[in-house]
Amino acid sequence: MEKVVVGLDMHLKKTEGVVMAMDGTIVKRERFETSKENLRNFLRGLPPGTKVALESVGFCWPWIDFIESLGYKPLLANPIKVKSRAEDVKTDKADSELLAHLLRMDWLPTVYVPSKELRALRNLLRHRAFRRKIATAFKNRTWSELRKRDVQIDANLSTCRGRERAASSNVYEVAQNVEVIELIENQIKRIEMKLKIHYRKIKPVKLLQTIPGIGFLTALTLVAHHPNPFTYHIRVCRDLRY
């Protein structure tokens, strides 16, 4: 088969796919239920290394990995920039065709695709941040419940002793909030322990911690969201393999 490119407009239930020749001729167009088996069948027979364009959405990462495993080259498009180049009539059919056209003309506005390892690190850091946000909300709610009842307690809800003191106020709502805070704080500790076990020996993290005011989590977050924070060449770095 001659050289072709592929445009995929993927949604949770349905996917619109277009296989396009380099002269703009549509070789194949198909709408199918979104599944790995259907995607494999749609791409079957294409030359190895064929470029496949899809928009960056919340569930795109498993599909990026799957397309790579099939021997093709996935390219992640910036949906905002793609939209600015779209036609007035925006449909799944038009979107998949537009992605293919932009790809064959080398005009596709791509975004950085981090490795599996780096994505796992980012996800774990976001998971911890979400847990911290929930814990803070429950702490604020606990203080609100105490103020409603004019109960004065000198306690730090971030410590075990402070939570014990708050729970001993005999306020039902506060006692339940403290239980949740205790659970979340323990989860956060386990997440932080997992991060330290896997990432504390990474050279950029260790170097960043030599800067006054930057601790382990701050350094790890900088490395995770900018894999080479010293030279600012993201695409040149090898993610976390220093």
Side-chain angles (χ1 to χ4, degrees):
M1 181 183 287
E2 64 178 356
K3 187 176 180 181
V4 295
V5 294
V6 180
L8 295 175
D9 188 59
M10 302 193 73
H11 298 277
L12 289 173
K13 294 183 178 181
K14 294 288 185 179
T15 294
E16 185 80 29
V18 169
V19 179
M20 184 177 290
M22 299 307 291
D23 62 359
T25 304
I26 296 178
V27 177
K28 181 180 179 181
R29 186 196 298 276
E30 187 177 330
R31 183 176 177 83
F32 52 88
E33 291 186 3
T34 303
S35 71
K36 290 183 177 180
E37 185 61 31
N38 289 337
L39 181 57
R40 181 188 287 109
N41 292 335
F42 176 74
L43 298 174
R44 182 172 288 130
L46 298 182
T50 296
K51 294 181 179 180
V52 181
L54 62 158
E55 289 186 345
S56 175
V57 291
F59 59 92
C60 66
W61 301 118
W63 299 105
I64 288 285
D65 297 334
F66 180 68
I67 292 170
E68 283 184 339
S69 70
L70 295 177
Y72 305 114
K73 184 179 180 181
L75 293 173
L76 208 55
N78 185 322
I80 296 177
K81 291 184 178 180
V82 169
K83 184 178 180 180
S84 68
R85 303 175 190 185
E87 299 177 357
D88 294 335
V89 179
K90 197 173 187 303
T91 63
D92 295 347
K93 184 176 179 180
D95 286 350
S96 59
E97 190 173 331
L98 174 65
L99 288 171
H101 276 301
L102 293 174
L103 185 54
R104 74 178 179 85
M105 294 185 294
D106 201 24
W107 287 353
L108 187 72
T110 57
V111 297
Y112 172 59
V113 178
S115 67
K116 286 184 180 179
E117 185 179 13
L118 188 54
R119 296 202 304 264
L121 172 57
R122 289 180 177 183
N123 194 62
L124 194 56
L125 287 170
R126 291 179 185 128
H127 183 63
R128 177 194 172 276
F130 181 66
R131 288 288 183 273
R132 177 58 67 197
K133 184 177 181 180
I134 294 174
T136 301
F138 269 93
K139 290 173 186 177
N140 292 337
R141 184 69 180 176
T142 299
W143 288 121
S144 176
E145 294 292 347
L146 290 171
R147 286 192 293 268
K148 286 178 185 177
R149 296 163 177 81
D150 195 25
V151 177
Q152 302 296 326
I153 293 180
D154 183 15
N156 182 357
L157 296 179
S158 296
T159 65
C160 293
R161 183 175 295 181
R163 291 192 289 271
E164 289 176 1
R165 189 172 295 175
S168 65
S169 63
N170 296 323
V171 178
Y172 179 75
E173 293 86 348
V174 169
Q176 285 210 326
N177 285 347
V178 168
E179 289 179 9
V180 177
I181 295 170
E182 188 75 29
L183 172 64
I184 297 174
E185 289 291 344
N186 288 333
Q187 289 181 338
I188 291 173
K189 287 180 181 178
R190 293 200 298 271
I191 295 170
E192 292 176 353
M193 182 60 66
K194 183 180 179 69
L195 289 170
K196 288 180 180 179
I197 290 172
H198 288 89
Y199 303 107
R200 65 183 173 184
K201 294 183 180 180
I202 296 174
K203 186 177 178 181
V205 174
K206 294 169 68 175
L207 288 174
L208 283 168
Q209 289 183 84
T210 63
I211 302 174
I214 295 184
F216 169 73
L217 289 171
T218 302
L220 188 59
T221 301
L222 286 171
V223 170
H225 291 87
H226 207 309
N228 198 338
F230 300 100
T231 61
Y232 291 93
H233 294 306
I234 294 182
R235 296 181 184 276
V236 175
C237 78
R238 293 295 180 265
D239 295 328
L240 299 178
R241 299 179 182 86
Y242 289 83

